[in-house]
Amino acid sequence: MSTLNPSGTSPYVFTCDHASNRIPRRIGQMGLSDDEMLSHIAWDPGALEVAKGLSRALNAPLIFSNYSRLVLDLNRPPSSRGHIPEVSAGITIPANRAASPQEREARLRAFFLPYHGAISDIIETRLDRATPTLLVAMHSFTGDYPGETRPWHIGVTHRFDMGLGAEIVRLLRERTDLCIGDNEPYQIDDVDDVTIPFHAEKRGLPNALIEMRQDTLISRHGIAETIERFSEVFGLAAATVLEAIR
Ligand SMILES: [Zn+2]
């Protein structure tokens, strides 16, 4: 787990749960091929570059993972099958199938608890100082999922969002000609999500989970354009939402 700008003054706090495809050396390569480790099942390609760009542009705290979601998915609770997945998108993960209860517990302590502890620490410090705090989780998704058509360039996932996700959808639709998914291609649910329900919804903080289609983040230009677009839209959305809940 790493942080960037932990004391940043922006109202936004960003997370990037699936930032990396690295595997700790002691686990090896999970029994997977190089191609599989580069694919979307291992991480969210492009998401960390955008999250870092936003953290710098807005002077906002960012907490991000240093290891693959295949080692432990930081956005899946320990009760979820996806927490330490034995199968992901139809691909069996041999090292997880073989993981003992002790190994699972060791990964929980090494990765899950420090990551969510760091997010809680940053948020609680801000709330103690009455600093307005909006939590946005940055993800990317594959446009190429077997059996599904995914036309959206950006998906905004939100539920008990205090108006933030809905305002981001409205602004993106008003200011771009991109195809914007409103709770597409994913929805937040209590069985399979941790970051937004646990850190934002439970505390009543405005929030959104952003999904960027991976083919829009392949070039340097695509990443720069995405950072610029979100910097502007997030700035406008924060002003509206903070005014409304004041
Ligand atoms: Zn993700």
Side-chain angles (χ1 to χ4, degrees):
M1 178 272 305
S2 295
T3 56
L4 194 65
N5 275 338
S7 310
T9 55
S10 165
Y12 283 96
V13 172
F14 293 107
T15 62
C16 194
D17 301 341
H18 303 143
S20 175
N21 65 343
R22 285 176 53 210
I23 305 287
R25 200 173 308 160
R26 68 171 184 82
I27 300 180
Q29 201 166 323
M30 315 289 302
L32 296 174
S33 69
D34 288 348
D35 280 353
E36 286 165 337
M37 285 312 305
L38 287 172
S39 79
H40 70 91
I41 69 163
W43 62 322
D44 286 358
L48 180 62
E49 282 100 318
V50 174
K52 282 185 170 175
L54 287 168
S55 168
R56 291 193 188 103
L58 301 176
N59 190 22
L62 164 66
I63 304 97
F64 62 96
S65 64
N66 290 321
Y67 292 107
S68 170
R69 66 190 300 174
L70 296 178
V71 176
L72 182 147
D73 190 328
L74 294 166
N75 194 36
R76 298 278 178 270
S79 55
S80 159
R81 290 160 83 90
H83 181 65
I84 295 176
E86 295 188 8
V87 177
S88 179
I91 296 167
T92 298
I93 321 296
N96 291 349
R97 213 155 243 200
S100 65
Q102 291 80 359
E103 169 64 17
R104 289 172 165 267
E105 176 72 18
R107 290 192 207 172
L108 180 92
R109 289 181 185 283
F111 307 117
F112 190 85
L113 299 181
Y115 183 77
H116 290 291
I119 299 174
S120 279
D121 284 350
I122 285 176
I123 291 177
E124 290 300 329
T125 301
R126 295 170 66 96
L127 297 182
D128 284 347
R129 294 174 184 160
T131 306
T133 298
L134 319 178
L135 185 67
V136 174
M138 300 302 295
H139 291 261
S140 71
F141 69 100
T142 177
D144 191 20
Y145 202 83
E148 273 185 44
T149 309
R150 294 176 155 184
W152 314 281
H153 299 101
I154 296 170
V156 182
T157 306
H158 60 113
R159 186 173 65 167
F160 309 122
D161 69 347
M162 305 294 284
L164 182 63
E167 182 62 4
I168 292 171
V169 170
R170 193 188 70 75
L171 287 164
L172 286 170
R173 285 182 174 163
E174 181 186 273
R175 304 174 81 86
T176 74
D177 49 17
L178 299 176
C179 180
I180 307 299
D182 190 354
N183 284 314
E184 299 283 2
Y186 302 115
Q187 298 82 41
I188 292 172
D189 72 72
D190 295 317
V191 176
D192 269 340
D193 281 277
V194 179
T195 302
I196 292 292
F198 185 80
H199 294 291
E201 292 179 349
K202 272 194 187 156
R203 293 182 172 108
L205 300 177
N207 66 82
L209 185 155
I210 304 292
E211 289 280 1
M212 302 168 282
R213 206 173 68 198
Q214 285 157 12
D215 62 352
T216 67
L217 304 178
I218 290 169
S219 70
R220 231 183 235 184
H221 174 72
I223 293 202
E225 204 176 51
T226 302
I227 292 167
E228 198 182 314
R229 180 183 299 126
F230 279 131
S231 296
E232 188 189 351
V233 163
F234 288 172
L236 293 167
T240 304
V241 169
L242 291 174
E243 180 65 31
I245 62 175
R246 196 148 56 152

